[in-house]
């Protein structure tokens, strides 16, 4: 509470909480409540599966959380490998629940080769989910090298970092897509 108060007094109006295994749901809910009581904008970022367990999303909404961020790897196989088997369906459920609870759902997209390929085809899914806020970041490397690929069944799914030289073009593409789709 003291840290949040110091941040607020220093002019920091926004707190994003990233829960860890050592933080109980009650502690997280209390931290969001304290931030909200100070007047801060408060959000929580976690995989959808975790937010949907034990009614955490509902508990957070009850104390005024402003937004919930859940990662989406876009490519279904990549998403399951990174975030767990049920997280795909939990993400859609979390987004629906967020709208019902009047909490802003935010999708966070880590860009690697597989997610870029999928995102090009799935911009409309974000519109169907009524997502107005998307956070995108790229995993990049500065040294050329062999692209690592993971294999799921017979298909290769690349989750290797992108070449840094692609970032400028990728950023322009994401910005254009955001304008085109009102994100």
């Amino acid at each position: 509470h003291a840290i949040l108060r110091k941040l607020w007094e220093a002019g920091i109006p926004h707190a994003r909480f990233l829960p860890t295994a050592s933080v109980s749901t009650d502690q997280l809910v209390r931290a969001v409540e304290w931030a909200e009581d100070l007047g801060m904008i408060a959000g929580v970022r976690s995989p959808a599966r975790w937010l949907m367990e034990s009614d955490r999303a509902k508990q957070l909404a009850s104390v005024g959380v402003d937004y919930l961020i859940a990662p989406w790897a876009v490519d279904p196989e990549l998403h399951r490998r990174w975030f767990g088997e049920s997280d795909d369906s939990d993400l859609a459920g979390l987004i629906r629940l967020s709208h019902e609870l009047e909490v802003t759902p935010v999708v966070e997209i880590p860009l690697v080769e597989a997610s870029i390929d999928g995102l090009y085809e799935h911009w409309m899914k974000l519109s169907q989910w009524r997502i107005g806020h998307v956070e995108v970041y790229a995993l990049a490397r500065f040294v050329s090298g062999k692209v690592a690929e993971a294999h799921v069944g017979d298909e290769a799914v690349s989750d290797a970092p992108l070449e840094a030289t692609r970032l400028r073009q990728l950023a322009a593409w994401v910005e254009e897509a955001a304008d085109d789709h009102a994100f």
Side-chain angles (χ1 to χ4, degrees):
H1 192 239
I3 293 169
L4 288 169
R5 190 176 309 111
K6 286 180 183 180
L7 290 170
W8 179 252
E9 290 168 0
I12 307 294
H14 189 132
R16 177 177 297 172
F17 297 95
L18 307 164
T20 64
S22 65
V23 175
S24 72
T25 299
D26 289 340
Q27 290 172 314
L28 177 63
V29 168
R30 206 167 35 251
V32 168
E33 187 174 25
W34 290 338
E36 290 290 334
D37 287 349
L38 289 168
M40 296 179 104
I41 297 167
V44 174
R45 186 241 181 248
S46 185
R49 173 179 28 88
W50 189 86
L51 288 165
M52 293 294 283
E53 287 173 357
S54 306
D55 286 329
R56 283 186 185 105
K58 288 181 181 179
Q59 290 178 53
L60 291 165
S62 74
V63 295
V65 75
D66 294 293
Y67 64 92
L68 296 172
I69 297 178
W72 181 42
V74 183
D75 178 86
E77 289 301 322
L78 183 61
H79 190 89
R80 282 189 281 279
R81 280 194 305 112
W82 282 1
F83 304 110
E85 282 300 316
S86 69
D87 202 72
D88 281 16
S89 58
D90 287 336
L91 178 60
L94 177 65
I95 291 168
R96 277 190 305 276
L97 181 61
S98 294
H99 287 300
E100 289 171 19
L101 297 171
E102 298 182 3
V103 172
T104 301
V106 179
V107 172
E108 176 189 80
I109 303 171
L111 295 178
V112 294
E113 208 60 57
S115 58
I116 291 169
D117 293 344
L119 188 56
Y120 186 75
E121 299 170 12
H122 293 293
W123 283 118
M124 294 313 294
K125 189 169 203 168
L126 294 167
S127 294
Q128 291 167 353
W129 284 339
R130 299 181 331 193
I131 296 295
H133 302 280
V134 179
E135 292 186 0
V136 180
Y137 66 92
L139 300 176
R141 65 175 181 254
F142 293 98
V143 178
S144 289
K146 184 178 175 184
V147 174
E149 289 186 344
H151 292 274
V152 179
D154 293 334
E155 293 186 37
V157 179
S158 176
D159 64 354
L162 303 168
E163 293 290 333
T165 56
R166 294 187 58 199
L167 296 183
R168 182 173 294 202
Q169 181 181 8
L170 185 58
W173 173 68
V174 167
E175 191 172 311
E176 287 171 16
D179 287 344
D180 291 346
H181 297 282
F183 300 133

